[in-house]
Amino acid sequence: EVRNARVEHLGRTSTDLIDSTVMAPDGDLNFPPGQAKMIVSHQGSNQIARYAVHAHHSLVEAYFSGNAVLPVGRDGMVAHNSRVHILDNIVVGANGTGIFLEDGTETGPVLNNYIIGRGGGSRGGDDGRFSSQSGTDMAHGGFGIWCRGKLALVQGNHAEGHFGVSPFAFFVHPNFISDKVIPDVQGTPAELAGKKLKDIEPTHTNGLQLQSYGGFINNSAVATFQVGIDLSYFSVSADDEVGSIIQDAFIKNLALNGRGISTTHSSLFTLNDVTIQGTVAENTITGIWCNNCNGCTLQTPNTTLVFENVASNRGGNC
């Protein structure tokens, strides 16, 4: 557990391309089976997984609560294939992501955190590195909370300041996460523990959606950003009429331009009590922007959505 601590000037992974040092056995020496002398076969310049506060393939349920984290590197708080309760923290100035749920198998809640952006990061989208880096070099653009999957409850968080890309983002590309196995640790719902993500079949929702086991509820941002909520690769079945639910979100853009919500390769969301608000006079903000979804048009049924002081309510394939 990490509780009520101040963590400052830690984390040396940067938002540059990941370039990790590689070790290999020294082939010139003979050792008994299972032993080897290891040598550096590649000297990297940007080692992965050196973050300020990091749970890495943890075998126990963990808590990060009540902390103040001021990282100097890429990420503030990271749960990687671990069940971590990330509660009531303040994260200031992470260049990549303030809170990072890395693998899509994370089931611990992310509740009541306050994330301040300082405008760091590559400012590039995740698709730019996804293929070339095999999906491992993500969330570098400048985010508040970034999630690879749909299992965690993300609720009551607030983001302020300046974010290179977005205060809130989900990138749930199935080619990377479908074979990931959810850790079987204490606290993990029994119907999820030890299963591959592609084998999860919730009975109470039509396919795996944000609200199936977690949710995105009552989160807010008052900041400058490219996109308020960035939603990528949310698939739905042909007979689904709800999709994933975005509940009680307040997104206020302090900049001249940007998007309140942006979707990529996604065709259906329900937006309940969502407000997209601009502040600058004569801004060029788009409330909801829909990128490529393979010829489809984004549907937002049963929506209680409010646009205030934005130049256009919808754009792209909306």
Side-chain angles (χ1 to χ4, degrees):
E1 298 184 4
V2 182
R3 295 180 185 265
N4 304 325
R6 180 184 177 100
V7 180
E8 189 170 3
H9 299 312
L10 294 180
R12 58 184 172 88
T13 304
S14 77
T15 56
D16 294 337
L17 283 171
I18 295 297
D19 179 25
S20 297
T21 295
V22 177
M23 304 292 290
D26 186 345
D28 295 332
L29 298 173
N30 293 319
F31 284 87
Q35 300 181 32
K37 176 186 177 182
M38 304 300 290
I39 60 175
V40 175
S41 61
H42 170 73
Q43 182 66 58
S45 60
N46 188 28
Q47 188 75 21
I48 198 171
R50 302 302 188 255
Y51 312 129
V53 182
H54 185 194
H56 182 77
H57 298 277
S58 175
L59 299 179
V60 296
E61 189 173 29
Y63 287 80
F64 298 163
S65 63
N67 304 289
V69 181
L70 297 87
V72 293
R74 184 175 184 129
D75 299 321
M77 290 188 152
V78 180
H80 182 190
N81 193 42
S82 303
R83 179 172 170 82
V84 186
H85 299 249
I86 303 177
L87 317 172
D88 303 313
N89 302 284
I90 298 172
V91 183
V92 181
N95 288 324
T97 299
I99 296 173
F100 184 25
L101 305 189
E102 187 170 352
D103 244 13
T105 58
E106 296 78 23
T107 58
V110 180
L111 306 179
N112 303 323
N113 300 282
Y114 182 45
I115 304 102
I116 299 175
R118 290 180 173 173
S122 69
R123 306 200 175 199
D126 290 301
D127 273 322
R129 295 186 189 177
F130 182 78
S131 295
S132 63
Q133 299 292 94
S134 301
T136 60
D137 190 352
M138 308 298 285
H140 49 80
F143 300 88
I145 297 174
W146 191 99
C147 304
R148 178 96 69 176
K150 306 174 184 176
L151 300 178
L153 174 61
V154 179
Q155 181 172 357
N157 303 283
H158 182 67
E160 290 194 11
H162 177 33
F163 296 90
V165 178
S166 178
F168 303 109
F170 289 83
F171 189 94
V172 296
H173 200 299
N175 287 356
F176 185 86
I177 66 174
S178 61
D179 284 323
K180 297 287 185 178
V181 177
I182 299 166
D184 186 1
V185 300
Q186 182 178 355
T188 304
E191 62 269 34
L192 299 179
K195 286 189 176 180
K196 290 184 178 181
L197 288 171
K198 67 182 180 182
D199 295 331
I200 297 172
E201 297 180 358
T203 58
H204 53 293
T205 54
N206 195 336
L208 182 59
Q209 306 296 346
L210 285 176
Q211 66 274 14
S212 299
Y213 300 99
F216 188 82
I217 303 170
N218 193 31
N219 298 288
S220 60
V222 179
T224 56
F225 46 74
Q226 296 180 43
V227 177
I229 306 174
D230 197 6
L231 303 167
S232 298
Y233 297 96
F234 280 76
S235 60
V236 293
S237 61
D239 58 347
D240 195 343
E241 297 180 352
V242 177
S244 281
I245 298 173
I246 307 298
Q247 180 74 43
D248 297 320
F250 177 77
I251 305 297
K252 184 173 185 177
N253 193 347
L254 304 180
L256 177 65
N257 51 42
R259 301 167 182 172
I261 295 174
S262 186
T263 69
T264 302
H265 293 287
S266 305
S267 61
L268 178 67
F269 289 96
T270 294
L271 308 174
N272 288 338
D273 297 318
V274 174
T275 297
I276 307 296
Q277 186 180 99
T279 55
V280 178
E282 300 181 0
N283 66 69
T284 60
I285 295 169
T286 301
I288 302 177
W289 180 274
C290 316
N291 284 321
N292 179 25
C293 59
N294 300 323
C296 67
T297 300
L298 179 73
Q299 303 296 317
T300 55
N302 307 317
T303 289
T304 48
L305 176 64
V306 176
F307 298 108
E308 296 179 356
N309 191 31
V310 299
S312 55
N313 290 349
R314 293 174 179 259
N317 297 317
C318 287

